Amino acid sequence: MTSEQNNSSSQQSVGNEEQGDSRLPEATVSKARFSIIWIIPIISVLIAGFLLWRSLYNRGPEILITFDTADGLTSGQTQVKNKAVTLGTVSSITLSKDMHHVDVRVQMNSSASGLLTDKSRFWVVRPRINGASVTGLETLLSGAYIAFDPGASGGQRSTEFRGLESPPGIQSDQPGRTYTLVAPAIGSIGPGAPVFFRDVDVGEVLGYTLPPGGVGPVMIQFFVKEPYDHYLHTNTRFWNVSGVKVGFGAGGLKVQMQSIQALFSGGIAFSLNRTSNDDEATEAPANTIFQLYDDKESADNAGYHERVPVATYLSSSVSGLTVGSPVSMFGIQVGSVTDVKLQIDQTTGHARVRVAMDIQPERVLSPEQIHSDTMVSTLQALVANGMRASAASVSMLTGETNVSLDFVKAAKDVKTYMEGNTLILPSQAGGISGIMQSLSTVSDKLAAMPLDKIGDNANNLLAHADQRINSPEVKQALVNLRDSLNSLHHLADNADKGLQPLMKRLPEMSEQLDSTLKNANKLLGSYGGDTDFHRSLQSMVVQLGETARSLRFMTNFLANHPSSIVTGR
């Protein structure tokens, strides 16, 4: 049936109905009204659309970070942060195809899109103990997170990264400079070890690089923060301050420790140098290479640039003498030992030790007094005055030995000579070896003495002396001596008795002389004038005074020593 037939049939049925009942009601169409209940779904749709737009607008690129392990990471929870600001969230964690590492996919925010370059770095922040420092304690409650460092500017866009297993020493926005140290071994220095300047922590060690094939020095990279990096000059010297250094020296027990952190993680230190060539030193640019010394003493020794090479040959023990041992004069260090080598002459069988040294005149002389062309002649003059080199013991406890330049009294004339550009100094045995050598010389001389003949002669002399003493002549001489002494005593007694009248008259004579002097003085006073008689009289008075004094002195002496008339004064 066609559509036209259907329409005609429907018209006929409607017409029949109108004919059958013309009073049927007509339908009225009313307009639909807006209901308030529709507001809720509309608002929901608008919010969902806004959230979807915002999500799409803030959605950044998806990146892939490769780590060795996913310890502490959770899909959908672990966040990527920079300075405590969330920049992304971990979306999935899967094992790599070779199962050697894990692939962590992170959905980054749009704000981090411009920061993702090939210089960016990622690492997992967990609780870590590195030496004396503890980091990441905040993750004990909040959980681990991935830290993000944009790196230096100028990198190329990238979405695949290799994560770091440990935090980097410095971040890209930290001002400062990176330098390199050269050392034969790193000792206890490791990444994160502090760098000290006057006991202030001014930087840290970033890492180290071993030489190819293991031959050569180790390269240690370290960072110094601003403004302390401006203190580094091309002549700055660094030394190792790791752990505790205990030693015995001439001053006794020495214990040195930089800090608790350096005790556990090691450390290095540097200081400002004040030497004669400071004016030539300039500020060290980044990536400058410095040498690392074992201790501060070695670093200070390296600052003396004027060096006079000398050497000496020793035939005594040099036990305890090593490279770096001090060379002293009157107890003051003037240089250091550079080489100790045993030499054996296969032809003559003679053995001796060659000790090479560097004399550092800057230790004792001012820069104005140092002249390289006269240092050798100065040493030769010292040798002519008796200077000799010897190995002297510094500590009996540790056996430490140094080279001492001593002046020997009445030393034999020895001429110095040159071996290339090295001056050879004469030597003598010193320390314990010198004492033992002297004792050996004395014992040899004692052994060479004819002690048996000396003993026999002494016995014979004593025997003859005993016979001579017991002889009649000696006995008669002793009797005569005793008689002589008795005669002398008798004579002294008689002299004492004979002098008694004289002793009694001496006071009277002294009084008469005094009276004469007084009369003479009166006469001088009354006579006066400058005549010959006056001068003669005055001279006589002086002589009389001296005579009176002599008589008083003789009287006192004879009263105390009457026997002196016979025996003499």
Side-chain angles (χ1 to χ4, degrees):
M1 181 179 292
T2 64
S3 59
E4 295 180 354
Q5 292 177 351
N6 292 333
N7 292 335
S8 61
S9 60
S10 60
Q11 291 176 357
Q12 289 178 1
S13 61
V14 172
N16 293 331
E17 290 178 356
E18 290 178 353
Q19 290 176 0
D21 187 5
S22 59
R23 299 180 62 183
L24 292 173
E26 297 180 356
T28 58
V29 178
S30 61
K31 296 181 178 180
R33 296 181 179 180
F34 180 77
S35 178
I36 193 172
I37 198 172
W38 289 98
I39 295 178
I40 296 176
I42 292 174
I43 293 176
S44 300
V45 172
L46 292 175
I47 292 175
F50 174 76
L51 293 176
L52 178 61
W53 172 83
R54 184 176 180 179
S55 176
L56 294 175
Y57 180 79
N58 292 332
R59 186 183 181 88
E62 186 180 53
I63 63 174
L64 175 65
I65 308 175
T66 302
F67 291 104
D68 290 341
T69 177
D71 185 21
L73 303 181
T74 303
S75 178
Q77 295 184 6
T78 304
Q79 296 177 336
V80 178
K81 296 182 180 181
N82 178 266
K83 296 181 179 180
V85 177
T86 301
L87 299 178
T89 305
V90 174
S91 58
S92 65
I93 302 174
T94 59
L95 279 173
S96 61
K97 294 181 179 180
D98 57 4
M99 302 185 70
H100 290 167
H101 52 270
V102 295
D103 295 333
V104 179
R105 295 190 178 274
V106 180
Q107 182 61 54
M108 300 296 292
N109 299 338
S110 60
S111 60
S113 299
L115 304 176
L116 299 172
T117 64
D118 55 357
K119 295 184 179 180
S120 300
R121 296 177 295 179
F122 296 86
W123 66 94
V124 180
V125 178
R126 308 183 184 94
R128 297 176 183 272
I129 300 178
N130 184 14
S133 61
V134 181
T135 59
L137 290 179
E138 71 277 6
T139 60
L140 291 175
L141 299 177
S142 61
Y145 65 90
I146 299 176
F148 168 57
D149 180 23
S153 59
Q156 298 179 356
R157 295 290 298 272
S158 178
T159 57
E160 295 184 358
F161 304 93
R162 175 68 181 177
L164 304 177
E165 294 305 316
S166 60
I170 58 172
Q171 297 192 18
S172 58
D173 57 350
Q174 186 172 4
R177 299 177 187 174
T178 303
Y179 303 94
T180 302
L181 289 173
V182 176
I186 64 172
S188 58
I189 299 175
V195 179
F196 294 101
F197 172 72
R198 294 184 178 179
D199 298 334
V200 178
D201 189 350
V202 299
E204 65 176 293
V205 175
L206 304 179
Y208 55 87
T209 304
L210 292 175
V215 179
V218 181
M219 310 293 287
I220 303 174
Q221 294 80 29
F222 68 99
F223 176 79
V224 178
K225 297 178 288 187
E226 192 178 350
Y228 307 105
D229 56 340
H230 299 292
Y231 299 161
L232 269 69
H233 294 79
T234 53
N235 64 344
T236 300
R237 293 181 293 275
F238 291 79
W239 63 90
N240 194 334
V241 293
S242 303
V244 179
K245 295 183 179 179
V246 181
F248 291 90
L253 177 64
K254 296 181 180 179
V255 180
Q256 182 180 1
M257 183 180 70
Q258 182 70 29
S259 67
I260 295 297
Q261 186 176 1
L263 177 63
F264 292 98
S265 62
I268 58 178
F270 69 94
S271 64
L272 296 178
N273 302 320
R274 300 298 182 190
T275 57
S276 58
N277 61 342
D278 275 349
D279 296 336
E280 303 176 0
T282 58
E283 185 175 331
N287 300 320
T288 302
I289 298 177
F290 299 95
Q291 184 176 357
L292 180 64
Y293 296 93
D294 293 335
D295 49 34
K296 189 177 186 303
E297 183 178 0
S298 300
D300 292 338
N301 292 340
Y304 300 110
H305 302 283
E306 291 290 338
R307 300 174 184 269
V308 181
V310 299
T312 188
Y313 290 95
L314 299 175
S315 299
S316 57
S317 174
V318 294
S319 177
L321 188 66
T322 59
V323 175
S325 296
V327 178
S328 62
M329 179 185 294
F330 297 111
I332 299 175
Q333 184 175 357
V334 296
S336 58
V337 176
T338 58
D339 186 36
V340 180
K341 186 177 181 180
L342 176 64
Q343 293 184 350
I344 299 177
D345 190 342
Q346 297 181 356
T347 303
T348 61
H350 181 68
R352 58 182 180 174
V353 179
R354 187 180 190 275
V355 180
M357 300 166 282
D358 276 344
I359 302 299
Q360 300 159 343
E362 291 172 298
R363 290 181 177 271
V364 293
L365 300 177
S366 62
E368 294 78 12
Q369 297 175 319
I370 298 175
H371 303 284
S372 301
D373 54 345
T374 61
M375 285 294 101
V376 174
S377 60
T378 301
L379 290 174
Q380 290 175 341
L382 293 173
V383 172
N385 288 330
M387 187 182 74
R388 300 293 184 267
S390 62
S393 177
V394 177
S395 174
M396 298 294 294
L397 183 62
T398 62
E400 183 181 357
T401 305
N402 68 353
V403 176
S404 178
L405 302 179
D406 300 322
F407 287 87
V408 180
K409 294 182 179 180
K412 297 180 180 179
D413 293 337
V414 179
K415 293 184 178 180
T416 60
Y417 60 95
M418 302 292 293
E419 288 185 357
N421 63 340
T422 302
L423 177 66
I424 304 302
L425 302 178
S427 65
Q428 69 170 1
I432 299 299
S433 299
I435 296 174
M436 296 302 296
Q437 183 173 350
S438 300
L439 291 176
S440 177
T441 303
V442 173
S443 64
D444 292 341
K445 291 182 178 180
L446 290 176
M449 293 177 64
L451 297 179
D452 294 338
K453 293 182 179 180
I454 292 174
D456 294 339
N457 294 332
N459 291 330
N460 294 331
L461 178 62
L462 291 174
H464 292 324
D466 187 46
Q467 294 176 1
R468 180 66 63 182
I469 291 172
N470 294 326
S471 63
E473 293 83 0
V474 174
K475 293 180 179 180
Q476 184 62 36
L478 292 175
V479 171
N480 296 333
L481 179 61
R482 183 181 61 187
D483 295 338
S484 299
L485 290 175
N486 292 331
S487 300
L488 287 175
H489 283 293
H490 180 70
L491 179 62
D493 293 339
N494 293 332
D496 188 22
K497 293 178 180 179
L499 285 174
Q500 287 180 358
L502 178 62
M503 295 294 294
K504 292 179 179 179
R505 293 199 48 132
L506 281 177
E508 181 181 353
M509 294 172 63
S510 178
E511 291 178 358
Q512 291 177 357
L513 283 174
D514 290 337
S515 176
T516 303
L517 287 174
K518 291 178 182 179
N519 295 329
N521 288 329
K522 290 179 181 181
L523 180 61
L524 285 173
S526 62
Y527 188 77
D530 188 13
T531 61
D532 293 338
F533 177 76
H534 181 271
R535 286 192 292 272
S536 299
L537 186 59
Q538 188 176 7
S539 176
M540 183 186 68
V541 170
V542 172
Q543 293 177 1
L544 287 173
E546 292 178 354
T547 303
R549 284 194 296 270
S550 299
L551 285 174
R552 283 195 295 270
F553 176 77
M554 184 180 68
T555 302
N556 294 331
F557 183 80
L558 290 175
N560 295 326
H561 307 282
S563 61
S564 61
I565 295 178
V566 178
T567 60
R569 188 174 179 180

